[in-house]
Amino acid sequence: MADEQAGVSETEIAVHWHEEEYYSPPESFIQQANLKDPEIREKFRIENFPDYFAEYGELLQWDRKWDQVFDGSNPPFWRWFVGGRLNASVNCIDRHLASNRNKAAFYFVPENPDEMRQVITYQDLYVRVNEFAALLRDFAGVKKGDRVTIHMPMVAELPIAMLACARLGAIHSVVFGGFSGQACADRIIDSESHILITMDGYYRSGKWLNHKEKADVAVERAEQAGQHVDKVLIFERHPGRYSSDTPLTEGRDFIVNELLTQFRGARVEPESMKAEDPLFLMYTSGSTGKPKGVQHSTGGYLSYVTATSKNILDIHPEDVYWCMADIGWITGHSYIVYGPLSLGASSIIYEGVPSYPHANRPFEIAEELGVNIFHTSPTAIRGLRMAKDINPQKYNYHFKLMVTVGEPIEPDVWRWYYHVIGRDEAVIVDTWWQTETGGFLCSTVPALDKMKPGSAGPGVPGIHPVIFDDEGHEIQAGSGRGGNICIRNPWPGTLQTIWKDPERFVRTYYGKYCKNPDSKDWRDWPYMAGDGAMLASDGYFRILGRIDDVINVAGHRLGTKELESAVLRLDEVAEAAVIAAQDDLKGTVPELYVSLQPNVVPSDELSQRIVNAIVSEIGPIARPRKVWIVPDLPKTRSGKIMRRILASISNNKEIGDVTTLANPEVVDTIHQLVRS
Ligand code: WTA
């Protein structure tokens, strides 16, 4: 590797912290837990792979049962539940009707507390998904295997649109609602979608946001790149009242709420899909510019999120579950839509920001709806902790279980979450996983394992993690050294490939540690997550963050190259590097180091345009906190930008030895600039 030649290894991670204390789940929780069999890890030991995963398949309703649990004959393109046939919408809806027709599937809670919330029962969901599926099929011409891009806010119509696609066997690609029209266009182009589903607008922080205008940008830019979108289907946030200032384009834009009147009472026969037919694509940032279309299967994925929702989130039919993630990210796909619905759960979809109109809104909602499972991120927890008027004691709610996900949680923040939000009675699961993995990889089993602040825990049952150093040697438990966390075995929730780029799939996740590319033995193909981690002597994994260049802002993964490419669209910019700067609220935020073309004079106006370029290309979430205009960026001799050195400068950390760089003198210059 280039960096090693320069004497700087990218996988080396310094580890300084001490061991934290344990917390035990209360007896009352253990009594009622779904998974309390102490033999579970024995049953799911690696010697029993892959048969133990048959148990996960059994949780689903199949049109045709599988012939083979696992087919590993073409590594690393694993196939799960081969020969099986099923439909995801049937598993999430139809199979609950007989006994739970009138049970709430979702409560939609609008941001404005004065607007009525909606209760969507399983019967409602069944009717609405069928009618919208009929519209997609008969009006929009959507067929099995087509890709459909969905760019929507957090409303009940979003899972309805996803499930309607699933019913038809179409592959949905949901784009996070806060992303720009350009980001949506990039995903339309890569997935070759000819249909875009969107909404006129929505509320955020008390403001009405025009969302339809992004659809215009997306469709136009896609057209320029040769991808034609036939129809834009627009849900109305206030049914019957189109509320966007952006006009409709004749023949292309259609109001769903009007069209639906033609499909009242329509029922759509669900497509019987092969277990390994793709269910959806979810684009995620890699370390090169283009986002990767992570492809998930129907049977393997659905079985995995169902089982982990049951075992780790401990969802029971009588629980009220609230995951504050956005459905536009994988957490929302797996643990708002597919896992919970497959179990027949009742969950909350909340439209806006949790602190609107006051900091205690989450507790108000929890009290009102009886939420007892609460799922959020370290960023949101830090936000709550910093809010001035926070007062959970005032509200009458009881959480039995709380989840943290998306980034490492600081032990102090964990303890605050446990004592103040959880009232010392809720079990916490710190779930480590990724868009690519479909579901949880590391977490304590809530009734069986003690909690340890800041550590995700052991692999969940059936997942066997290992930490490798740069050379592929195992780093032993308790050694105090960090390394590259990998998973020894395949699992049903794993991504199948990267859409239209199988080579990138193999290279990214298996390139570094595959022992023998000709091997047909799954044991030679550990999955590389790309995260740094360390393993304590108790078998708990502590995640240290991304090893590659992807940065994690408020639990959202952003590719540095994606941000840098946006900046490099400005003619004045020569080079750009994005780093993750520590931030009290968000954990990390992007900071930008930029060098300019010769003879370009730095100015505030230029810095502002640089910021604007990122916001308009990627979205406000990527807004850099600071733009440093510097003479040059530190690089290895092979020309690789050393972001880690810039990050050390921004975060006021020890920079270390830079003498092996191609241009060590620039480090001092930048350091002085930032210090002043
Ligand atoms: C990070 C989100 C520490 C990690 C589910 C991972 C975490 C990336 C945790 C995936 C956690 C997620 N502790 N780090 N509990 N959960 N991460 O694809 O770096 O949006 O690789 O999936 O988030 O982010 P993604």
Side-chain angles (χ1 to χ4, degrees), residues 195-206:
I195 301 293
L196 172 63
I197 305 174
T198 186
M199 187 166 246
D200 52 356
Y202 60 103
Y203 295 94
R204 205 163 166 81
S205 300

Side-chain angles (χ1 to χ4, degrees), residues 280-593:
F280 67 86
L281 304 179
M282 161 117 287
Y283 282 86
T284 184
S285 302
S287 46
T288 66
K290 208 165 143 260
K292 305 181 275 224
V294 170
Q295 179 184 318
H296 280 290
S297 71
T298 306
Y301 170 82
L302 193 61
S303 73
Y304 196 71
V305 298
T306 305
T308 47
S309 296
K310 186 170 178 201
N311 295 340
I312 307 295
L313 301 179
D314 196 51
I315 296 177
H316 299 239
E318 64 276 19
D319 291 326
V320 180
Y321 167 72
W322 184 10
C323 172
M324 299 223 298
D326 194 289
I327 293 174
W329 305 114
I330 193 70
T331 302
H333 275 51
S334 299
Y335 297 116
I336 298 177
V337 181
Y338 287 109
L341 289 178
S342 172
L343 288 177
S346 299
S347 356
I348 286 165
I349 294 180
Y350 175 64
E351 176 179 36
V353 296
S355 55
Y356 185 85
H358 56 78
N360 293 299
R361 185 81 193 277
F363 315 117
E364 195 174 84
I365 294 171
E367 173 180 310
E368 185 171 335
L369 295 175
V371 174
N372 68 340
I373 305 178
F374 187 69
H375 190 156
T376 191
S377 64
T379 306
I381 301 166
R382 284 190 293 260
L384 286 168
R385 185 160 87 142
M386 285 167 73
K388 263 206 320 287
D389 309 315
I390 181 120
N391 190 11
Q393 299 85 304
K394 229 180 79 194
Y395 297 87
N396 180 21
Y397 68 84
H398 289 278
F399 295 154
K400 71 166 185 179
L401 182 131
M402 305 193 300
V403 190
T404 167
V405 63
E407 41 178 337
I409 185 166
E410 300 80 355
D412 284 335
V413 176
W414 191 100
R415 283 184 280 267
W416 184 85
Y417 192 33
Y418 184 78
H419 296 306
V420 179
I421 308 287
R423 299 173 163 165
D424 294 2
E425 63 185 9
V427 179
I428 296 182
V429 285
D430 179 351
T431 58
W432 170 73
W433 60 295
Q434 310 179 293
T435 302
E436 292 87 339
T437 72
F440 304 146
L441 294 179
C442 283
S443 167
T444 50
V445 173
L448 295 175
D449 303 317
K450 291 189 168 113
M451 303 161 249
K452 188 164 78 172
S455 290
V460 296
I463 299 290
H464 300 277
V466 56
I467 299 179
F468 290 128
D469 69 11
D470 242 355
E471 280 77 48
H473 303 121
E474 244 181 273
I475 297 185
Q476 296 306 320
S479 69
R481 284 165 59 218
N484 229 323
I485 186 165
C486 296
I487 309 299
R488 293 181 198 272
N489 61 294
W491 66 99
T494 186
L495 78 164
Q496 297 181 290
T497 186
I498 293 170
W499 183 252
K500 296 198 298 194
D501 204 347
E503 274 142 39
R504 189 175 177 195
F505 164 68
V506 178
R507 194 172 64 238
T508 307
Y509 306 105
Y510 299 95
K512 189 171 165 75
Y513 292 119
C514 175
K515 293 177 192 113
N516 167 15
D518 296 324
S519 167
K520 299 291 174 204
D521 185 347
W522 57 265
R523 290 170 195 82
D524 292 326
W525 293 84
Y527 168 86
M528 184 182 81
D531 277 337
M534 65 177 293
L535 176 58
S537 45
D538 56 9
Y540 280 36
F541 289 88
R542 184 161 189 163
I543 306 300
L544 308 171
R546 302 294 302 158
I547 273 183
D548 60 22
D549 287 332
V550 176
I551 68 174
N552 195 319
V553 183
H556 303 149
R557 242 168 117 183
L558 301 169
T560 47
K561 264 290 168 274
E562 216 184 351
L563 275 67
E564 290 159 6
S565 319
V567 174
L568 287 176
R569 291 168 77 109
L570 297 181
D571 291 339
E572 293 91 337
V573 174
E575 280 183 313
V578 175
I579 60 97
Q582 304 298 328
D583 182 90
D584 286 346
L585 177 64
K586 294 184 175 157
T588 50
V589 292
E591 242 180 51
L592 198 59
Y593 286 82

